[in-house]
Amino acid sequence: MRALFLIIVAGLFLAACGQSYGTYTGPKVTRIVVEKAERKMYLMHGPIVLREYDVGLGFAPIGDKVQEGDGRTPEGVYEIDRRNPQSQFYLSLGISYPNEQDIAEAKALGVDPGGDIFIHGRPKKYQSDLIDWTLGCIAVTNREMREIYAMVETGTKIVIRE
């Protein structure tokens, strides 16, 4: 009986380790475009919009991110540089902020540009609201984040515009 119990526990553990967040077999996402003023994010294949999402942004959404703690979402051209299936905000895709230009601008001002900017899901308290609440990240629903996580590869370009 004990051996059967251990086999079941091991099977459940292995199933959890191999958890999948969906698969995507459609056209490759060649870039992501975020229009901050519209609160929209588009997954693109060349000129074709594959998916469109409503997004929440940093709590101070107007203007480009300049320094850590300013609550702004950066503007510019970046890439998805990491994936985090253990994110405190459900799932997340890392954005390569700050780039060399961001670092130079912050240095000229004598400030820290910050970092850890992601596309991620929403905790329960923000599930139904589209308010801007992040510290500079781009937030979508958890269901949408599962889809995005399956569709977007590391290295995908992301363009964030005002």
Side-chain angles (χ1 to χ4, degrees):
M1 188 62 152
R2 180 179 161 101
L4 178 61
F5 174 76
L6 291 175
I7 290 170
I8 291 170
V9 169
L12 291 173
F13 176 77
L14 290 173
C17 288
Q19 185 173 3
S20 172
Y21 297 102
T23 56
Y24 174 71
T25 58
K28 180 178 179 162
V29 176
T30 56
R31 80 178 184 286
I32 302 167
V33 176
V34 176
E35 298 289 351
K36 289 172 46 175
E38 297 173 16
R39 304 301 189 278
K40 295 284 187 185
M41 180 171 68
Y42 304 92
L43 302 188
M44 309 292 296
H45 175 74
I48 300 166
V49 175
L50 298 173
R51 299 285 194 282
E52 175 183 324
Y53 304 96
D54 294 321
V55 298
L57 302 170
F59 65 83
I62 297 173
D64 190 12
K65 183 165 196 63
V66 176
Q67 70 181 54
E68 183 173 19
D70 65 9
R72 295 182 180 152
T73 301
E75 297 169 8
V77 178
Y78 304 96
E79 69 177 42
I80 299 302
D81 64 355
R82 61 203 181 276
R83 303 168 69 78
N84 184 0
Q86 304 298 321
S87 171
Q88 70 182 34
F89 298 111
Y90 187 60
L91 296 170
S92 63
L93 295 173
I95 298 172
S96 63
Y97 174 88
N99 61 25
E100 289 181 18
Q101 180 180 341
D102 299 317
I103 293 168
E105 289 172 359
K107 185 175 181 180
L109 295 170
V111 298
D112 181 341
D116 284 338
I117 302 296
F118 291 87
I119 300 169
H120 59 65
R122 294 185 179 141
K124 286 189 189 281
K125 84 184 218 184
Y126 297 112
Q127 281 297 310
S128 61
D129 295 328
L130 289 176
I131 61 171
D132 297 318
W133 58 272
T134 76
L135 298 177
C137 296
I138 299 162
V140 295
T141 69
N142 291 351
R143 180 190 60 75
E144 292 168 337
M145 193 61 223
R146 279 191 304 274
E147 181 176 75
I148 294 163
Y149 201 83
M151 292 177 73
V152 175
E153 298 174 1
T154 302
T156 301
K157 182 166 52 166
I158 178 168
V159 179
I160 306 172
R161 301 190 278 232
E162 182 62 45

